[in-house]
Amino acid sequence: MKMNRRSFFKICAGGMAGTSLTLLGFTPTAALASVREYKLLRSKETRNNCTYCSVGCGMLIYSLGDGAKNAHSAIYHIEGDPDHPVSRGSLCPKGAGVLDYIHSEQRLKYPEYRAPGSDRWQRISWDEAFTRIARLMKNDRDANFQIKNSEGTTVNRWLTTGMLCSSAASNETGLLDHKFARSMGMLALENQARLCHGPTVAALAPSFGRGAMTNNWTDIKNANVILIMGGNPAEAHPVGFKWVVEAKTRNNATVIVVDPRFNRSAAVADIYAPLRAGSDAAFLMGVVNYLLEHDKVQHEYVKAYTNAALIISEGYGFREGLFSGYDQATRQYDKTSWHYELDAAGHAKRDDSLTHPRCVWNLLKAHASRYTPELVSRICGTPSEDFLAICQQLATTCVPDRTTSVLYALGWTHHSNGSQIIRAAAMIQLLLGNIGMIGGGINALRGHSNVQGFTDLGLLSQSLPGYLTLPSEKQTTLEAYLQQTTPAMLLPGQVNYWQNTAKFFVSLMKSFYGDRAQKENSWGFDWLPKWDKSYDCMTQAEMMVEGKMNGYIVQGFNALAAFPDKNKAFRAFSNLKYLVVIDPLSTETASFWQHHGEFNDVKASEIQTEVFRLPSSCFAEEEGSVSNSSRCLQWHWAAASPPGEAMHDGKILGNIYLRLRQLYREEGGVAAEPLLAMNWDYSDPASPSPEEVAKENNGKALADVVDAEGKLVLKKGQQLTSFAELRDDGTTASACWIYAGSWTPAGNQMARRDNADPSGLGAVNDWAWAWPLNRRILYNRASADPQGKAWDPQRKLIEWNGQRWEGLDVPDYPVTAAPEKQSGPFIMLPDGMGHLFALDKLGDGPFPEHYEPMESPTGTNPLHPDVVYNPVARLFSRDAAALGKADKFPCVATTYSITELFRHWSKHARLNAIAQPEQFVEIGTELARAKGIKAGDWVKVSSQRGYIKAKAVVTRRLQQLTIDGKQIDTVGIPCHWGFEGSARKGFLANTLTPSVGDANSQTPEYKAFLVNVERV
């Protein structure tokens, strides 16, 4: 039977084993003519969402079981939800194989324990697991908890145990994670965002005010030009990519792909240009220079809605690769001079003529002028004619009725200057007037189903839910914290919505601590742990290697496969006293101590870490909400119970937490008060219901709330409808203020399923609910001119009708604020402006600058040879010693994903493992010829940190590029294999990658490092 890969998935996604085998030809052809019973008869249909990438595709799950008490449903078929407005019934190869993920042979069913030095798992009971884990945690906490720092400030922190949180669990689990960890004083609290899209928040928040995708998946179809760079959505987000194709077919959009590989997105693009991995900032700043030099700027938009006219402090400067304020000893900047020059009222001075030498406009022109087409080609290897053709296409959208949509993913975030790459794209879109517009924006394509939600919920070492910052030890009082975190208005008449920080924070404290939080104790301010530095993933690994961390809880996170430098991660975990892994699957992290030949060449007897492997539910077995890339919270329902003795994450955490609290009540201990003060008053504290927690995220009134005129706004106990109802007097509670409006008195807004699109522009506003306040396109006030009329009358988003703003979307703006008030559209920034100059919010400069990857193939920087690398990138001394040089490792390597596999999850699904069973790497024809390598040969790819072996795919998709006069080859390394799963055993790709991080988010540099390739 003839069949290609697409046909294979299409048939197998049918889900019934017998039917699939028949169609695959394992029974006589005549069987196809026999009468078969309709496969969905007597089934229960459950709506859910795909657990893989953040497109958030709809799924219909079919299970057998009559729903009677103690009867277990059995999931036997899954298909795409045809009503879903984004996926419209489609599933990609990963989604099509998800049934095999649910029923994987690697699903964990019973709690297991690995004793110190042991070479095997032993089954234990849940009671044994909970009791032992609680005891280990209490002992470590009592021995190492810091109530006060050396200066006598109350810090209430526990630094010797950390927690990694899932990026696929529900938002409700995420809030439980946060309360669990912070109440015990953990600062080493992280989620997958640190290792993927951390630079997105670091870059977009200073640029526009929020760190999220500005538009949404369906809106991509409205673009006139689509720039895909730093991502490959045809491969990594195949169903979301249909909106790119729709823009081409229905809107005649020009699709541009810039990437080190001629990838699947490039295969359908109108223009493709290669570039060297790690040179993106130079390319984008070259585009900025082109737009400025050729006057391809939407001037009215730029003058009215960006900080181009504002004047920068006289102390600011940039010289030879360094901004003003650099301290060589600390490798940090004093950012005092990266600010506006202020008048007597504290407002930024401005020059609307744009002639002042220190206005942002002129500083930007000077900074960008160095990025000529010739220099871009020299650094990036991109032919000048290709670069100029792309600039010309982008420039066509500087007019009001054309837009560019920028799509990117980890190809921009995984660099030591990843935040600044994204910043450069944000500046391009501001110059073109494409932010806030239909078909415009910066669309960060997130790679995990709920990494957006776990970022929203503040599961990062220095964060709190709703993008509030966790207080530092220098903010010794609530008053000091609020003063330092609440921005002052920098231009008169601006919305400056963060001025409401006190309302958000006090309402969070009331949600956390309930009646225990009172004004007299500063709403429980002292109970929160206070940080002295970032305890991000790279810091955690360093602390483990140094013996400064004893315990680790890893929930739905394959850290051994995800941390930079797998060998360092192994050393780190080997130094732990205990490791608790909560996961549906067997992971390399849980089995880091097992010997698996050269894939994991270790000696179990020498590793003294106690390891617990706790089986959790998967997405199809839980209820709750997940937030896709479009900020859309979609509620999903459980179709079955977890297998064996597996439990929901919330139940596992709840049981450990209750054991710990009971130990402190019975035995006492160090700093019991913060732990016991946390509100955990659920109807079943051992297993909090998703509905309860979702309502908690939304928030409610704790007393009758009245407005300034004394009119009743909320009754006591009523769910909030908007964050505008929050108060700073203790009368409201909300665990995540940006989620206010998700569960109102009208019910669960996240469960809405109306896919009507009357405009035809993808404004599907009644499908689920998007934060903030169901706005689908952020900054949409910028879609209208300063007088309130739509820039593009044919695609009106919102307009001023003389009394209020109205249109297709919920206004991201005060609804009655008249245009003559001249309040800027970027309401989360204190000047209301989009930032071409990012002020002091980024650690490595207010303007983007090209710095070489920390492992550079040239070892020099044509812009400033004395400052080759990002001077403030995260780099520990032991990791600096493990960096390679081009004389030994001459090739540039970059990691990426392939369509059939998702990170290290779907290799556990047999269908996906069949489609991509064996590890491979891609090399170009020139490199293959030089090394005597043929397609299918085994090759050894080495870096300074280790090696992997894989089959060679020889391809013309990877071009040899001329970089600064030197011929450079690129090696493509998919990052999916390991020593656990249904696929053949392979090497973890992060064996090769360096432990060096972005200067702002500490996200590791997986996308540009040096290797050597040899035929085995």
Side-chain angles (χ1 to χ4, degrees):
M1 183 177 182
K2 292 185 178 180
M3 184 180 304
N4 59 24
R5 181 175 291 163
R6 187 178 188 87
S7 302
F8 175 73
F9 275 104
K10 189 174 181 181
I11 291 172
C12 292
M16 287 192 70
T19 301
S20 297
L21 289 170
T22 299
L23 291 174
L24 285 169
F26 293 113
T27 58
T29 306
L32 293 173
S34 63
V35 176
R36 290 178 288 150
E37 188 178 78
Y38 180 49
K39 63 189 175 187
L40 303 184
L41 287 177
R42 300 187 303 278
S43 66
K44 181 181 74 171
E45 180 183 281
T46 305
R47 259 196 168 130
N48 209 298
N49 294 95
C50 183
T51 189
Y52 293 125
C53 83
S54 218
V55 175
C57 296
M59 284 183 165
L60 299 179
I61 301 179
Y62 294 91
S63 55
L64 288 177
D66 60 8
K69 188 175 182 179
N70 297 324
H72 292 280
S73 297
I75 297 170
Y76 70 93
H77 175 68
I78 295 178
E79 61 187 39
D81 182 353
D83 293 331
H84 196 281
V86 177
S87 56
R88 299 189 296 190
S90 300
L91 292 176
C92 76
K94 292 179 283 286
V98 79
L99 188 67
D100 280 0
Y101 162 74
I102 294 169
H103 297 308
S104 171
E105 293 177 0
Q106 284 76 43
R107 283 298 301 270
L108 303 177
K109 297 179 181 179
Y110 309 101
E112 293 173 293
Y113 172 73
R114 182 263 178 183
S118 173
D119 63 353
R120 66 197 52 171
W121 293 108
Q122 64 185 75
R123 183 172 166 182
I124 58 175
S125 70
W126 277 112
D127 184 68
E128 290 173 303
F130 294 146
T131 300
R132 179 60 179 162
I133 292 166
R135 173 55 63 190
L136 287 166
M137 292 179 71
K138 184 177 188 297
N139 289 350
D140 187 61
R141 186 176 185 272
D142 285 349
N144 298 290
F145 194 88
Q146 297 178 22
I147 297 176
K148 295 184 181 292
N149 64 9
S150 59
E151 297 179 359
T153 300
T154 299
V155 294
N156 278 331
R157 63 194 181 206
W158 179 26
L159 302 179
T160 52
T161 287
M163 182 172 180
L164 293 179
C165 299
S166 171
S167 55
S170 68
N171 290 314
E172 293 67 40
T173 296
L175 180 60
L176 296 175
D177 288 342
H178 200 122
K179 294 172 68 174
F180 174 89
R182 294 302 192 211
S183 69
M184 287 185 279
M186 286 188 198
L187 286 176
L189 175 66
E190 291 282 289
N191 82 88
Q192 182 68 39
R194 180 71 70 187
L195 301 178
C196 59
H197 266 282
T200 288
V201 178
L204 296 186
S207 300
F208 310 135
R210 303 184 186 94
M213 186 181 196
T214 62
N215 292 42
N216 58 73
W217 286 105
T218 54
D219 179 67
I220 294 169
K221 72 174 183 177
N222 298 311
N224 302 104
V225 175
I226 297 172
L227 173 63
I228 300 172
M229 187 174 174
N232 180 13
E235 185 106 34
H237 308 86
V239 178
F241 189 71
K242 70 168 59 182
W243 297 102
V244 174
V245 175
E246 189 150 329
K248 278 176 65 71
T249 57
R250 296 183 59 181
N251 204 31
N252 199 30
T254 300
V255 176
I256 301 166
V257 171
V258 182
D259 198 273
R261 297 185 304 132
F262 186 89
N263 55 36
R264 285 178 169 169
S265 298
V268 297
D270 299 286
I271 302 174
Y272 165 73
L275 89 165
R276 171 175 59 110
S279 65
D280 304 69
F283 189 100
L284 294 169
M285 287 305 295
V287 175
V288 170
N289 184 45
Y290 178 93
L291 297 177
L292 294 172
E293 277 205 341
H294 293 80
D295 198 28
K296 296 296 183 179
V297 174
Q298 191 179 339
H299 287 284
E300 190 176 3
Y301 183 106
V302 169
K303 287 182 180 180
Y305 298 157
T306 79
N307 63 357
L310 303 189
I311 298 172
I312 301 303
S313 166
E314 192 170 352
Y316 167 76
F318 177 80
R319 181 179 174 83
E320 296 300 323
L322 294 174
F323 294 91
S324 50
Y326 185 66
D327 185 331
Q328 181 69 46
T330 63
R331 296 185 64 249
Q332 298 293 319
Y333 281 108
D334 174 354
K335 298 178 281 187
T336 307
S337 62
W338 306 357
H339 217 281
Y340 299 133
E341 187 172 290
L342 305 177
D343 62 20
H347 295 148
K349 293 182 179 180
R350 64 185 303 154
D351 171 26
D352 288 325
S353 71
L354 303 183
T355 58
H356 193 289
R358 282 186 286 108
C359 75
V360 169
W361 180 255
N362 289 318
L363 291 176
L364 175 59
K365 289 176 73 174
H367 190 85
S369 64
R370 298 165 298 137
Y371 291 92
T372 62
E374 295 74 24
L375 186 75
V376 169
S377 183
R378 181 181 170 190
I379 291 174
C380 302
T382 309
S384 293
E385 58 272 21
D386 292 346
F387 170 73
L388 290 171
I390 291 169
C391 290
Q392 290 160 9
Q393 282 297 320
L394 294 172
T396 65
T397 65
C398 72
V399 295
D401 61 349
R402 284 176 59 83
T403 51
T404 290
S405 182
V406 175
L407 278 56
Y408 77 92
L410 305 188
W412 276 358
T413 64
H414 281 168
H415 295 283
S416 50
N417 65 336
S419 298
Q420 293 292 10
I421 294 171
I422 301 164
R423 267 283 299 148
M427 292 162 60
I428 290 169
Q429 290 294 72
L430 286 171
L431 291 172
L432 293 171
N434 284 327
I435 300 299
M437 298 286 290
I438 286 178
I442 300 279
N443 291 309
L445 309 184
R446 291 184 178 264
H448 289 73
S449 62
N450 202 31
V451 71
Q452 178 66 60
F454 269 56
T455 308
D456 298 339
L457 290 160
L459 291 159
L460 295 165
S461 71
Q462 294 170 302
S463 298
L464 287 171
Y467 299 94
L468 294 166
T469 58
L470 186 70
S472 79
E473 63 181 6
K474 295 180 180 179
Q475 295 162 330
T476 56
T477 66
L478 173 63
E479 292 72 26
Y481 167 76
L482 291 176
Q483 180 188 17
Q484 292 175 35
T485 57
T486 306
M489 190 180 297
L490 291 176
L491 285 178
Q494 300 307 310
V495 175
N496 187 24
Y497 207 80
W498 278 113
Q499 68 181 299
N500 296 298
T501 296
K503 298 176 182 178
F504 309 149
F505 184 81
V506 173
S507 295
L508 171 64
M509 293 293 96
K510 291 298 292 184
S511 181
F512 272 10
Y513 302 117
D515 291 340
R516 301 171 190 85
Q518 297 293 328
K519 186 174 183 181
E520 291 71 27
N521 64 4
S522 298
W523 312 109
F525 179 79
D526 282 343
W527 289 329
L528 288 174
K530 310 301 186 297
W531 56 268
D532 55 338
K533 64 179 182 180
S534 173
Y535 290 89
D536 54 85
C537 293
M538 290 180 64
T539 299
Q540 292 173 20
E542 185 74 5
M543 290 175 67
M544 291 178 204
V545 170
E546 293 177 343
K548 296 178 180 178
M549 189 172 281
N550 301 320
Y552 215 34
I553 301 171
V554 180
Q555 173 213 30
F557 197 128
N558 198 350
L560 188 73
F563 277 21
D565 192 348
K566 175 257 185 183
N567 290 324
K568 181 179 180 180
F570 165 76
R571 294 193 300 273
F573 299 158
S574 298
N575 272 2
L576 291 171
K577 292 181 179 178
Y578 65 96
L579 172 67
V580 180
V581 178
I582 304 170
D583 206 282
L585 297 164
S586 302
T587 67
E588 283 80 6
T589 299
S591 302
F592 81 95
W593 48 271
Q594 286 184 340
H595 179 74
H596 287 268
E598 63 179 333
F599 304 113
N600 198 50
D601 190 5
V602 302
K603 293 182 179 179
S605 61
E606 298 177 355
I607 301 167
Q608 299 303 302
T609 311
E610 283 188 62
V611 185
F612 300 83
R613 189 161 72 172
L614 307 182
S616 67
S617 57
C618 77
F619 78 105
E621 301 146 1
E622 70 163 12
E623 298 193 355
S625 64
V626 292
S627 306
N628 76 355
S629 264
S630 303
R631 299 165 284 103
C632 189
L633 281 71
Q634 301 181 100
W635 193 267
H636 63 269
W637 291 266
S641 299
E645 295 179 7
M647 290 183 180
H648 301 302
D649 293 68
K651 189 172 184 178
I652 296 171
L653 288 174
N655 274 279
I656 295 172
Y657 197 54
L658 293 182
R659 300 289 176 105
L660 264 167
R661 284 160 66 118
Q662 188 62 29
L663 286 174
Y664 274 94
R665 289 190 182 101
E666 293 175 352
E667 302 175 359
V670 178
E673 187 180 16
L675 175 60
L676 298 177
M678 181 61 73
N679 190 0
W680 203 268
D681 300 331
Y682 303 106
S683 55
D684 180 359
S687 184
S689 75
E691 293 81 2
E692 285 180 291
V693 184
K695 291 178 180 179
E696 187 179 4
N697 267 331
N698 180 90
K700 65 181 180 180
L702 303 175
D704 287 352
V705 176
V706 298
D707 62 18
E709 286 75 40
K711 181 181 177 182
L712 182 67
V713 177
L714 293 167
K715 291 182 179 180
K716 181 179 179 180
Q718 183 177 329
Q719 288 290 109
L720 304 177
T721 60
S722 165
F723 47 70
E725 297 165 346
L726 294 173
R727 300 290 186 268
D728 61 4
D729 59 3
T731 59
T732 58
S734 174
C736 186
W737 71 273
I738 61 174
Y739 285 4
S742 62
W743 196 307
T744 70
N748 184 354
Q749 303 304 293
M750 302 171 284
R752 298 183 304 166
R753 292 296 183 267
D754 183 347
N755 63 5
D757 179 19
S759 70
L761 293 171
V764 189
N765 297 342
D766 293 324
W767 182 276
W769 182 89
W771 73 262
L773 291 183
N774 207 33
R775 294 161 182 161
R776 304 298 170 126
I777 295 181
L778 298 179
Y779 323 112
N780 54 33
R781 164 64 182 92
S783 69
D785 65 21
Q787 293 73 44
K789 295 296 182 183
W791 292 111
D792 183 359
Q794 302 305 312
R795 295 187 291 187
K796 294 180 183 179
L797 188 51
I798 65 169
E799 267 194 338
W800 178 251
N801 69 3
Q803 294 183 312
R804 59 190 295 114
W805 293 92
E806 62 179 13
L808 296 179
D809 199 7
V810 177
D812 190 13
Y813 198 70
V815 71
T816 59
E820 50 265 28
K821 279 193 66 177
Q822 296 185 328
S823 295
F826 296 93
I827 62 172
M828 304 305 294
L829 293 175
D831 50 18
M833 302 294 183
H835 284 177
L836 296 169
F837 186 97
L839 301 180
D840 56 356
K841 297 300 184 286
L842 287 153
D844 48 359
F847 286 138
E849 179 70 1
H850 166 73
Y851 297 106
E852 284 291 299
M854 206 56 75
E855 290 189 338
S856 167
T858 63
T860 187
N861 189 329
L863 288 157
H864 25 73
D866 292 334
V867 182
V868 178
Y869 313 105
N870 190 329
V872 294
R874 165 62 64 82
L875 184 63
F876 294 108
S877 57
R878 80 177 74 244
D879 299 326
L883 293 176
K885 300 293 184 182
D887 56 347
K888 187 176 179 183
F889 305 100
C891 302
V892 174
T894 188
T895 61
Y896 59 91
S897 298
I898 59 178
T899 298
E900 296 79 12
L901 295 179
F902 178 85
R903 301 304 296 171
H904 297 87
W905 299 3
S906 57
K907 64 184 171 68
H908 295 271
R910 186 172 297 277
L911 184 62
N912 299 93
I914 290 170
Q916 288 288 3
E918 193 164 42
Q919 190 163 19
F920 68 87
V921 297
E922 285 190 288
I923 61 175
T925 53
E926 297 94 340
L927 178 60
R929 190 179 306 114
K931 296 280 187 174
I933 297 169
K934 295 183 176 65
D937 284 349
W938 282 98
V939 294
K940 180 179 181 180
V941 183
S942 308
S943 75
Q944 184 67 32
R945 292 153 295 279
Y947 69 87
I948 69 171
K949 294 177 182 177
K951 285 287 184 72
V953 173
V954 179
T955 175
R956 288 181 294 170
R957 291 188 295 267
L958 287 167
Q959 300 180 29
Q960 190 175 78
L961 300 175
T962 303
I963 309 298
D964 203 18
K966 184 179 179 181
Q967 298 299 304
I968 301 295
D969 291 292
T970 303
V971 179
I973 302 175
C975 53
H976 302 293
W977 286 271
F979 51 86
E980 294 276 11
S982 296
R984 295 172 191 166
K985 286 187 180 184
F987 293 82
L988 293 172
N990 62 329
T991 304
L992 301 173
T993 55
S995 188
V996 55
D998 171 76
N1000 302 281
S1001 66
Q1002 294 78 51
T1003 299
E1005 190 160 47
Y1006 300 111
K1007 288 291 188 287
F1009 54 96
L1010 296 181
V1011 298
N1012 187 36
V1013 180
E1014 305 167 87
R1015 186 171 179 272
V1016 176

